[in-house]
Amino acid sequence: MTKIAAGDAMMKVLKDWGVKRIYGLPGGSLDSTMNAIYNFRDTIHYVGVRHEEAGALAAVAEAKLTGQLAVALGSAGPGAAHLLNGLYDAKTDHIPVLAIIGQVPTSRMNTDFFQELDEHPMFDDVSVYNRTVMTAEQLPLVIDKAIAAAYELKGVAVVTIPKDLAWAEIEDGYVSAGTNFVNKDGVLNFPYAPVSAPEDKVQQVADLLINAKRPLLYFGTGVGGAAEELRELSDLLHAPMGSTYLAKGILEGDEPAWMLSTGRIATKPGVDVAKAADTVLFIGTNYEFPAFNPKATFIDVNLKPTVVGERHTATVGILADAPTFLKQLLEAVKAKAAAGTDVKTAHEGWYQANVENRRLWDEWMSRQAKRADDTPARFEPIYEAINKVAANDAIFGVDVGNVNIATGRFLHLDHDKRFVTSPLYATMGFGLPAGIAAALAYPGRQVWTLSGDGGFAMMSQDLVTQAEQHLSIINVVFTNKTLGFIEAEQDDTKQPHSGIDLSDVDFAKVAEGFGVKGYTVRSGAEFTKVIDEVKDTKDPVVIDVKITDDRLLPVEKIPTHAADFKGGDLSEWLASYDASELPTLGELLEKYHG
């Protein structure tokens, strides 16, 4: 039988699983692996980054965007350690990622050799599969099993490869399991089997929602693909909708009955509706923050038994996939309406109050967006300018901090726009590497990164990767000279500002040093002029927006009724945020008898 280097056999397995690229930074322990990557340079694109963490974050972002496993590599010792932060984001969000780790040659293992570490325990917690290859013949097999495990268990697979093994010659006879699951175009094609709910459970949920005084349809990313059913159910029942921040792109955004997200990364209508709802259909989500009325009746619909009832007591718990259940529920409510059941009247006032709440919120945001001449700049006019020029299929890599609050409120994700972020692990520095991944995975689409100055500084060295890869990315940096999200927490807990101040970095000049065109703007009007110039860029650019440190309206503090406000006089407090025209939901409920 024909002989092949074990590293080349590994690359064949990666190809069979549809892997398109590998993010990494070479090291001595990776010499044999880099040799194999070179041999397959026409098949699998190697993306050299300037920090392994950037490679890991880019791989995680790629897997989040494409739904397919992505690959990062790190050399023995420090290179491996640098991967961990990105891999923990993958673990937290249950994302399939393969980490290939270098190790010293087998003859040098266990001798305290240069850069040698016992890497297995380092990756044990972050991974669903963690193996060190022991023989050259094992290498393609272990890689194959690792990828299968990452997909099946939805997490990180780690394979450590001693330096000498990938050069060793083995028989070229290994057949990868990936050939069973990847089509001729290299696209993974796992079959999807819908999981429906028992009919008696569907009827029970329909009755609960129809008879509720204040029902809420609260959804997460699990309802993806069922936007029409969600809208139709809301319209049929006259039940308002709320969602997680990550579910922002599922609907178009202009639905009058969608109150958007809850919690701190939220809108006022989203916070209000969650606080006051008495019956919540909690579907396709495991939203972790306590934003809801604790006395509400909860209906949990999820595919995972461990999730149902995890965040609150579930009066009804249903194991089903969200799109299938929504179809079942919609048909059940339609049947009841056709049979003469009044499915709206019990909560009509509640519905109308929330619809007006959303309308008034939108009008207030529109007024704030007109403040384009304010200096320093404000978030609202910046996002309005982005919304005007963003392509219908634009992709946004969003960093962590106040930029997530702004994105949740102001960014339009209609049509085929998408965004990716680090929502629960919440690692700063995610935005820039996510832009690299988006531009590589979806060439020809408009790509943006949105970052604060704290997060952008963490990964700014990989602007040079954007330049070297000739990626058309618009990087927007919001410089407010503080860790604003943490500043707000320190204010809320009545503590002194400690450790949050940041220097006013000239990111335009930094960008120029990395071979990227840089701009500095200080108002929404200036930003609009620049964005008109660069919106069709074929190369990366950086726009450093000197943004106000004024806190975005903390909507989570606004109670249902003004008398319950904890911070003194609510009207004075709202006026301090230029938000006097925003009523409490309680006022609107009184108006509509809800």
Side-chain angles (χ1 to χ4, degrees):
M1 184 177 286
T2 304
K3 295 286 188 176
I4 187 175
D8 287 359
M10 171 189 72
M11 296 299 291
K12 290 176 69 174
V13 171
L14 294 176
K15 178 177 178 292
D16 286 342
W17 278 100
V19 171
K20 303 293 192 302
R21 61 194 60 82
I22 297 172
Y23 302 91
L25 184 66
S29 58
L30 285 172
D31 285 346
S32 58
T33 298
M34 296 307 300
N35 193 157
I37 288 172
Y38 178 83
N39 293 342
F40 278 72
R41 63 192 180 279
D42 295 330
T43 305
I44 296 177
H45 180 197
Y46 173 71
V47 183
V49 294
R50 296 305 176 93
H51 195 294
E52 292 89 350
E53 182 179 340
L57 290 171
V60 175
E62 179 181 321
K64 288 181 179 183
L65 287 167
T66 66
Q68 302 207 152
L69 174 134
V71 183
L73 59 82
S75 58
H82 285 163
L83 291 175
L84 273 171
N85 191 54
L87 298 183
Y88 266 103
D89 187 70
K91 174 187 176 176
T92 304
D93 285 353
H94 308 289
I95 303 300
V97 170
L98 172 64
I100 297 175
I101 309 300
Q103 182 54 286
V104 301
T106 53
S107 62
R108 299 292 190 176
M109 291 174 67
N110 303 316
T111 66
D112 296 325
F113 191 65
F114 175 70
Q115 289 192 327
E116 181 193 2
L117 287 179
D118 182 5
E119 290 165 340
H120 189 276
M122 183 192 305
F123 292 101
D124 210 33
D125 178 65
V126 78
S127 63
V128 296
Y129 182 93
N130 183 18
R131 297 289 189 275
T132 298
V133 178
M134 303 303 293
T135 68
E137 288 75 15
Q138 284 184 354
L139 180 50
L141 169 67
V142 175
I143 291 290
D144 205 23
K145 290 174 66 68
I147 295 173
Y151 275 124
E152 179 180 341
L153 302 175
K154 294 182 172 59
V156 177
V158 178
V159 176
T160 302
I161 307 172
K163 178 176 178 176
D164 53 316
L165 296 187
W167 274 320
E169 296 277 306
I170 64 173
E171 291 186 349
D172 185 15
Y174 187 78
V175 178
S176 168
T179 58
N180 298 309
F181 307 115
V182 176
N183 65 24
K184 61 182 177 61
D185 298 317
V187 177
L188 188 72
N189 187 26
F190 282 150
Y192 167 71
V195 179
S196 59
E199 187 56 33
D200 61 327
K201 292 275 193 178
V202 176
Q203 295 296 328
Q204 184 183 6
V205 173
D207 289 338
L208 282 170
L209 293 172
I210 289 169
N211 294 315
K213 184 179 179 182
R214 297 178 177 179
L216 170 62
L217 309 180
Y218 187 83
F219 63 92
T221 56
V223 306
E228 288 304 319
E229 288 81 2
L230 192 59
R231 290 189 196 96
E232 190 174 355
L233 182 64
S234 171
D235 186 59
L236 183 62
L237 283 170
H238 268 196
M241 299 175 286
S243 73
T244 63
Y245 166 50
L246 289 184
K248 181 176 174 69
I250 288 176
L251 299 180
E252 286 294 294
D254 59 356
E255 293 84 355
W258 185 20
M259 303 300 112
L260 305 170
S261 56
T262 58
R264 186 169 168 193
I265 302 176
T267 66
K268 178 183 177 293
V271 168
D272 288 343
V273 75
K275 285 180 178 179
D278 67 5
T279 304
V280 182
L281 174 61
F282 201 74
I283 184 165
T285 180
N286 190 27
Y287 183 76
E288 65 277 5
F289 297 105
F292 297 88
N293 173 8
K295 297 179 180 180
T297 295
F298 283 93
I299 304 155
D300 263 13
V301 181
N302 208 289
L303 276 173
K304 297 180 179 179
T306 54
V307 167
V308 173
E310 182 180 12
R311 304 301 180 190
H312 39 246
T313 300
T315 301
V316 183
I318 298 173
L319 292 179
D321 72 88
T324 299
F325 180 79
L326 281 174
K327 290 180 176 68
Q328 291 181 279
L329 181 59
L330 180 59
E331 291 306 312
V333 175
K334 281 182 175 179
K336 290 178 182 293
T341 301
D342 183 348
V343 301
K344 297 179 179 180
T345 300
H347 41 261
E348 182 64 23
W350 160 254
Y351 177 79
Q352 296 299 338
N354 280 285
V355 167
E356 181 167 347
N357 202 22
R358 167 68 194 271
R359 179 180 61 79
L360 293 171
W361 170 257
D362 288 347
E363 290 175 357
W364 177 74
M365 288 199 302
S366 294
R367 185 170 70 80
Q368 297 301 312
K370 290 180 171 54
R371 298 172 63 175
D373 293 324
D374 284 19
T375 56
R378 295 182 60 85
F379 277 111
E380 297 93 339
I382 300 298
Y383 274 82
E384 182 174 71
I386 292 172
N387 290 331
K388 286 179 178 178
V389 303
N392 285 344
D393 61 353
I395 303 173
F396 297 85
V398 183
D399 217 296
V400 169
N402 281 347
V403 68
N404 265 311
I405 299 177
T407 297
R409 293 183 187 178
F410 310 132
L411 183 65
H412 295 172
L413 287 175
D414 50 351
H415 301 289
D416 295 319
K417 298 185 183 80
R418 302 181 63 190
F419 83 112
V420 62
T421 190
S422 174
L424 188 54
Y425 184 61
T427 177
M428 293 171 65
F430 185 89
L432 190 149
I436 293 172
L440 289 168
Y442 297 98
R445 291 177 69 167
Q446 188 188 61
V447 174
W448 303 68
T449 73
L450 307 174
S451 307
D453 46 346
F456 192 79
M458 289 185 174
M459 288 288 112
S460 58
Q461 79 286 330
D462 271 277
L463 282 172
V464 73
T465 303
Q466 294 185 2
E468 289 173 346
Q469 297 291 324
H470 306 289
L471 303 178
S472 55
I473 302 173
I474 303 170
N475 300 281
V476 181
V477 188
F478 297 101
T479 299
N480 64 349
K481 299 182 291 184
T482 182
L483 298 174
F485 201 85
I486 304 306
E487 179 182 341
E489 291 181 356
Q490 293 182 356
D491 288 341
D492 289 346
T493 52
K494 310 296 188 214
Q495 65 184 95
H497 289 171
S498 178
I500 59 172
D501 293 335
L502 301 175
S503 298
D504 186 7
V505 175
D506 186 342
F507 285 108
K509 188 175 289 186
V510 170
E512 299 285 355
F514 285 120
V516 174
K517 178 68 174 174
Y519 301 82
T520 301
V521 302
R522 290 176 170 80
S523 70
E526 290 180 7
F527 181 83
T528 298
K529 292 178 182 178
V530 171
I531 212 65
D532 284 341
E533 176 185 338
V534 306
K535 62 185 177 183
D536 298 318
T537 182
K538 301 302 180 186
D539 298 298
V541 298
V542 170
I543 307 174
D544 183 5
V545 182
K546 303 305 183 182
I547 200 87
T548 179
D549 186 34
D550 290 348
R551 186 175 181 178
L552 289 165
L553 176 64
V555 294
E556 68 276 9
K557 294 176 176 288
I558 302 173
T560 302
H561 301 284
D564 296 327
F565 182 60
K566 304 296 185 184
D569 183 87
L570 178 60
S571 60
E572 292 180 3
W573 183 84
L574 286 170
S576 70
Y577 288 95
D578 192 25
S580 296
E581 66 263 47
L582 294 178
T584 63
L585 180 59
E587 293 173 64
L588 296 174
L589 289 172
E590 184 176 348
K591 174 181 176 180
Y592 289 100
H593 308 289

